Amino acid sequence: MNDFQDLPLFAMVSNECQRCFGSGLWLTPRNAVETCPRIQMREPHVEPNAAAQLLRRAVDRIKSRNNWIDPMAFDLARILTNFTTTEPCSRQHLFEHFYGDTNMTEANKLRKFHGLVETLRATWFLPVGSRKQEPTGYWIITDLEDFKEWFERVKAAPITQLTTIHRVARANFPVFAEQIELDFWTDEEAADVL
C-alpha cells in the first residue's frame, strides 16, 4: 500500500492530522479503533465533522458484532469523511491510494474497490454516496436531502433488474414467479432492515 502522504489524495484530505485524516479515529496495531492520540493529549486538532461522527457510530456497531475492523474499509471510510456531495473524492485518487503499488488490472481494481464500498454500505451501514455524473466520486452522506437524491438515482437499476427477472419468470415459470413474490415479503433480512 502507498504511503498516504506521497499521494495527491493526501493533499485533498484534512492535513491537520496525518494519523486520523481529520476523522478523530485511528486503528491501533491491535485492531482497536481509538480516539486520535492528538485529541487524547488535548493537542490542537480539527473538530471531527458529521461524516466522522457517522463513522464513529458505524465502528461502534462493528465492534459490538464481531470485534474486528477491516483496515482497508476503515481507511476508505476515514478518507471519505473529508469529502461531500459537492466535492466528492474521485475514484482514480482512491485507486492510486489503495492499488497504486499493485499489478492489478483496472477491472480487478474496480471489483475490489466496489467490494470495499459495498462493505461500508452493507456491513458498516455507512451512507456512502457515489455519482457517475459531474462532479463524480464518492463521499459519506450526512444530509437527508443528499441521501434522498442519491437514493432516487441508485434505486432505478435494481428495480429495473428485478422487474425484468420477475417478468421472465412469470412468462416462463409462473409457479416460480409466485414463489419470488412470497420470498420477497418473507425475507428475514429484509424484515430486519425495515
Side-chain angles (χ1 to χ4, degrees), residues 60-116:
D60 290 346
R61 278 193 301 267
I62 293 293
K63 295 299 273 184
S64 72
R65 287 195 312 241
N66 69 7
N67 207 26
W68 188 81
I69 298 293
D70 176 342
M72 284 184 76
F74 182 67
D75 269 356
L76 176 58
R78 290 190 312 157
I79 290 166
L80 294 180
T81 64
N82 291 280
F83 295 90
T84 66
T85 187
T86 55
E87 293 183 22
C89 185
S90 80
R91 182 172 43 196
Q92 190 56 42
H93 283 146
L94 293 166
F95 278 17
E96 289 171 13
H97 173 67
F98 288 106
Y99 313 115
D101 289 343
T102 70
N103 292 326
M104 293 171 64
T105 65
E106 288 299 309
N108 280 339
K109 290 177 186 179
L110 186 61
R111 184 181 53 78
K112 295 283 258 183
F113 178 72
H114 281 165
L116 276 178

Side-chain angles (χ1 to χ4, degrees), residues 19 23 32 36 58 72 97 105 123 132 140 157 163 167:
R19 180 169 304 240
S23 70
C36 179
M72 284 184 76
H97 173 67
T105 65
T123 305
K132 292 180 182 178
I140 293 180
T163 301
R167 286 179 181 160

Side-chain angles (χ1 to χ4, degrees), residues 4 130 182:
F4 197 75
S130 58
L182 181 61

Side-chain angles (χ1 to χ4, degrees), residues 76-77 80 117 120-121 125-130 138-141 150:
L76 176 58
L80 294 180
V117 170
L120 292 180
R121 289 176 179 155
F125 302 126
L126 274 173
V128 177
S130 58
Y138 297 81
W139 69 99
I140 293 180
I141 300 169
W150 174 78

